[in-house]
Amino acid sequence: MNKPADFEIAPRIDASVAVALTGNWTVTGMGVAGGRLLQALSGSGKDTGRVAFDLSGLERFDTAGALALLKALDGRDDVQGLDARPDVHSLLAFVHGARTEGDLAVHRGGGLYGLLSRVGRGVAHILSEAFQTLAFYGRLISALWRVLLNPRRIRIAPSVSLMERAGLDALPIVATTNFFVGATVAFLGQSLLNQFGAKIFSVELVGIAVLREFGVLITAIILAGRSASSFAAEIGAMKMNQEVDAMQTMGVDPFEALVLPRFIALLAMTPLLTFVAMLSGLFGGLIVIWTAVGLSPAFFIQRLLDNVGVSQFYIGMVKAPFLAVIIAAIGCRQGLEVGGDVEQLGRRVTMAVVQALFSIIIVDAIFALIFMQFGQ
């Protein structure tokens, strides 16, 4: 039936108004009936004060009709009741809930309430990320323990392949970056110390800075941008394509197949990359001091051995495995958290890099405090 929407308003004995809706209150059949109902109730509400609805005569009713009826009821706290079918009641409740949620979303957008709401959501997100990270480390330790009890479960081929991609392929950028960092430290150090007649101490400055801090720190930062993002993107793409779910269906533990090879590769290659970074940084400092200060390479190396020693080298190398664990874990965890769309993938890759960089700085600061307490 295609009966157009209509309504009738009649006064009742108790000084209220009875409104009966008939016809098809749908997006195609309503026409201007919704606007006429709003105008009629606005005029009648001033005189009567109470309205009673009879919706039993409705033939078809959709969200457009529900929205028109709710607009007519806006601002009225004197509605006596709605005589309607259960499906009409359900549709009215659904549209009313959608309108209420939209109003709340707009209200949250500004003012002090909006600011406090954003801060609260941020704190809750940080706590959630911390809890999920601890849970991830627990699963990682459990998988590592199973592999140690049964070494045949170690996936040698992917681990070696990842060592090449995450380690050997990163050697050129790590060496080049640390060469220029060491050269920059030497140049600035000799320029500053020359004002006090102590430019010879620029050798110690380069040695301590490169061996203790810059060698391992610059390497970890490069790996955070290179490997953490790569791990998150690779595992995230597999999660989007439901390959991880397929692994679980076939009885393959994703931690053993995806996380542990990356963990082993980075744990094995980060100390090697750190060692190369230290050599490159020292070589860059040696070149600058040789050309700018005039100290020979033999004098540079001998002064390093006498005044810097191997203790600074060990301090830098001790940090490498811890930073490798952090970078690999963050990258893999963010990859496993990817949902089903590309936007989630991009967001998780970005979070992997940001969290890895933040964690590297925090861990390095913690090591600095620990070594300071031990007088190193």
Side-chain angles (χ1 to χ4, degrees):
M1 298 178 66
N2 296 318
K3 186 177 179 181
D6 200 0
F7 62 90
E8 295 180 358
I9 298 180
R12 300 202 304 183
I13 300 177
D14 57 355
S16 64
V17 171
V19 180
L21 272 60
T22 58
N24 296 321
W25 284 71
T26 61
V27 66
T28 57
M30 187 171 57
V32 296
R36 292 194 298 110
L37 176 62
L38 179 60
Q39 293 178 357
L41 288 182
S42 299
S44 62
K46 297 177 182 178
D47 301 328
T48 61
R50 289 180 295 171
V51 177
F53 278 89
D54 180 10
L55 308 183
S56 59
L58 286 176
E59 296 178 1
R60 293 181 180 178
F61 193 64
D62 64 4
T63 54
L67 183 60
L69 181 57
L70 290 174
K71 286 183 177 180
L73 294 176
D74 275 348
R76 305 187 68 93
D77 54 0
D78 49 5
V79 179
Q80 290 185 329
L82 294 175
D83 184 9
R85 303 189 305 268
D87 60 316
V88 174
H89 276 294
S90 301
L91 190 57
L92 284 171
F94 174 77
V95 175
H96 176 70
R99 293 185 70 201
T100 303
E101 291 178 2
D103 294 340
L104 290 176
V106 172
H107 178 66
R108 292 191 184 109
L112 180 61
Y113 181 87
L115 175 62
L116 295 178
S117 178
R118 291 185 62 184
V119 172
R121 287 195 297 269
V123 173
H125 177 71
I126 292 174
L127 295 177
S128 175
E129 284 289 319
F131 176 78
Q132 293 176 11
T133 300
L134 291 176
F136 178 87
Y137 278 116
R139 293 188 61 186
L140 179 60
I141 293 173
S142 176
L144 185 61
W145 180 251
R146 291 196 302 269
V147 169
L148 291 177
L149 292 179
N150 187 6
R152 290 180 299 176
R153 299 170 70 101
I154 299 178
R155 297 174 179 268
I156 302 297
S159 299
V160 174
S161 175
L162 287 165
M163 286 180 189
E164 179 182 2
R165 290 196 289 115
L168 296 180
D169 291 349
L171 274 177
I173 183 65
V174 169
T176 303
T177 303
N178 280 276
F179 174 85
F180 286 107
V181 169
T184 303
V185 171
F187 181 78
L188 295 177
Q190 67 87 22
S191 298
L192 180 62
L193 294 173
N194 189 40
Q195 301 177 15
F196 305 98
K199 60 183 179 180
I200 193 174
F201 292 105
S202 57
V203 177
E204 284 83 349
L205 176 63
V206 171
I208 294 174
V210 171
L211 294 177
R212 187 186 184 104
E213 292 293 337
F214 286 120
V216 64
L217 194 60
I218 297 300
T219 301
I221 291 174
I222 292 175
L223 290 178
R226 190 178 183 276
S227 297
S229 60
S230 174
F231 293 169
E234 291 169 357
I235 298 178
M238 296 180 67
K239 190 78 182 297
M240 287 175 55
N241 295 330
Q242 299 183 341
E243 296 178 42
V244 177
D245 297 333
M247 286 182 180
Q248 293 175 325
T249 303
M250 293 185 295
V252 178
D253 186 1
F255 271 74
E256 293 185 12
L258 301 176
V259 177
L260 278 183
R262 289 166 171 79
F263 174 79
I264 293 172
L266 218 58
L267 187 62
M269 298 307 297
T270 302
L272 174 61
L273 291 173
T274 302
F275 180 73
V276 173
M278 291 177 177
L279 292 181
S280 300
L282 291 177
F283 184 67
L286 184 151
I287 296 297
V288 171
I289 291 177
W290 186 15
T291 57
V293 182
L295 301 179
S296 66
F299 181 84
F300 180 91
I301 295 173
Q302 188 61 45
R303 194 166 181 87
L304 278 180
L305 296 176
D306 294 339
N307 299 330
V308 177
V310 296
S311 61
Q312 304 299 325
F313 169 78
Y314 291 139
I315 290 175
M317 292 298 295
V318 163
K319 303 176 187 178
F322 293 92
L323 298 180
V325 170
I326 291 172
I327 294 168
I330 290 177
C332 293
R333 190 186 83 80
Q334 294 299 332
L336 290 173
E337 293 292 331
V338 171
D341 55 4
V342 179
E343 183 181 358
Q344 279 272 336
L345 178 62
R347 186 181 299 113
R348 288 295 176 176
V349 171
T350 303
M351 289 179 63
V353 177
V354 172
Q355 289 185 6
L357 292 175
F358 179 78
S359 301
I360 288 168
I361 301 301
I362 295 298
V363 171
D364 185 71
I366 292 174
F367 270 108
L369 293 175
I370 293 174
F371 289 129
M372 184 177 65
Q373 292 297 322
F374 284 100
Q376 296 294 327

